[in-house]
Amino acid sequence: MNLSTKAIDPYTIKELLQLQVMNQLSLLTSGRNSVTEQSDNTDFASILNGMLAGMDSASPQSAAGMSAGAGLVPGQAWGPAMLSGLSTASAGALTRKFAPASKPSAYDPLIQEASRRFGVEPSVVKAVIHAESSFNANAVSGAGAKGLMQLMDATGQGLGVDNPFDPAQNIHGGTRYLSNLLSKYGGSLGTALAAYNAGPTRLDRLGIRNDQDLAEKLHLLPAETQQYVRKVLALKEHYEV
C-alpha cells in the first residue's frame, strides 16, 4: 500500500511511527534478543494494514507531510510519554516484542529482595534484566557481559559478584550498580540507565548530570544507548501493570 496516496489521521501516523521505532528496539539495543527482523517486519505490516483499514478518512493529511514532523529526531524528548499515543493494537504488539525468553516470576523473590535492599523499584530491575538478557541467566554478550543483568567481569567483581551466572549474585550486583548510578545522578532514572549501558565516563564527558541534560544531549550518545533508554523505560511501564 502506498501511504503517501491515502488520507491519514495525524494521530494515527504518530502511532505508526512510534510502533515502527519500538519494533526495531530488540534488534538495535545489543543484539541479544531472539526476535528476527523478518518477524518484526511481518508484525508491523499486519498492524499497519489493520489500522489503515479502520482509519477515519475525515481528517485528511498526507503521510509524507506528517512523517517529517512526527518522526523521532535528534534531541527529541524521550521517556514514557513517547508511548502515550499507542493504540490498543500497537500496545499489544509492543508487549509481544518484549516477551521474555523465560518467565520473570522465576526471579521475583531475588528481585524483590535486591530492590528492598538497594532502594530500586522492582519494575526497573525487571526492565533492565529483560532488556539485557531476556531473563536468560546464562547469557553472554559479544563484549563479555554475563548473566541476567549483563555484568562485565571487572564491574561484577567490584560489586562482590564471584559468579555472574548465579542469579542471586547477578541480580544483587546489578541492582546495587543501578542504585549507585541513581545516587550519582540524583535519582534521574533515564540518566542512570544511559550510564548502565554506555558507562558513566561517557556521560560525564558530555556533561550529562540529570534527565534534563539527557533529554538535550541524548542524540550525542550511541544509537544503542538511545534505544536502550527508551526500551527500558517502556518495559518499566509494562512491569508496573
Side-chain angles (χ1 to χ4, degrees), residues 188-199:
S188 297
L189 177 58
T191 308
L193 293 174
Y196 193 97
N197 180 263

Side-chain angles (χ1 to χ4, degrees), residues 24-112:
Q24 302 303 318
L25 292 180
S26 294
L27 297 172
L28 293 176
T29 49
S30 63
R32 303 185 189 110
N33 295 332
S34 61
V35 179
T36 65
E37 184 174 6
Q38 181 178 1
S39 64
D40 278 344
N41 291 339
T42 300
D43 286 351
F44 178 72
S46 175
I47 295 164
L48 174 61
N49 290 335
M51 293 178 72
L52 288 174
M55 193 175 295
D56 180 5
S57 61
S59 301
Q61 177 81 22
S62 70
M66 274 301 298
S67 60
L72 296 175
V73 296
Q76 181 177 9
W78 50 270
M82 71 171 285
L83 303 176
S84 61
L86 291 178
S87 66
T88 302
S90 302
L94 178 61
T95 301
R96 290 196 299 274
K97 294 299 171 209
F98 290 160
S102 60
K103 293 183 179 180
S105 57
Y107 302 108
D108 270 352
L110 297 176
I111 292 171
Q112 292 292 338

Side-chain angles (χ1 to χ4, degrees), residues 77-193:
W78 50 270
M82 71 171 285
L83 303 176
S84 61
L86 291 178
S87 66
T88 302
S90 302
L94 178 61
T95 301
R96 290 196 299 274
K97 294 299 171 209
F98 290 160
S102 60
K103 293 183 179 180
S105 57
Y107 302 108
D108 270 352
L110 297 176
I111 292 171
Q112 292 292 338
E113 192 279 330
S115 297
R116 286 191 297 269
R117 180 166 184 175
F118 297 109
V120 181
E121 293 179 68
S123 59
V124 174
V125 180
K126 284 185 179 182
V128 170
I129 293 174
H130 193 152
E132 291 288 348
S133 69
S134 291
F135 292 89
N136 179 1
N138 298 312
V140 180
S141 76
K146 299 172 181 176
L148 290 167
M149 301 188 75
Q150 290 290 277
L151 300 177
M152 297 296 290
D153 288 339
T155 302
Q157 290 168 8
L159 296 165
V161 178
D162 297 322
N163 179 8
F165 298 113
D166 177 72
Q169 288 193 42
N170 195 287
I171 291 174
H172 182 279
T175 305
R176 180 181 175 186
Y177 186 42
L178 276 172
S179 179
N180 291 344
L181 291 173
L182 285 166
S183 295
K184 174 180 174 65
Y185 298 110
S188 297
L189 177 58
T191 308
L193 293 174

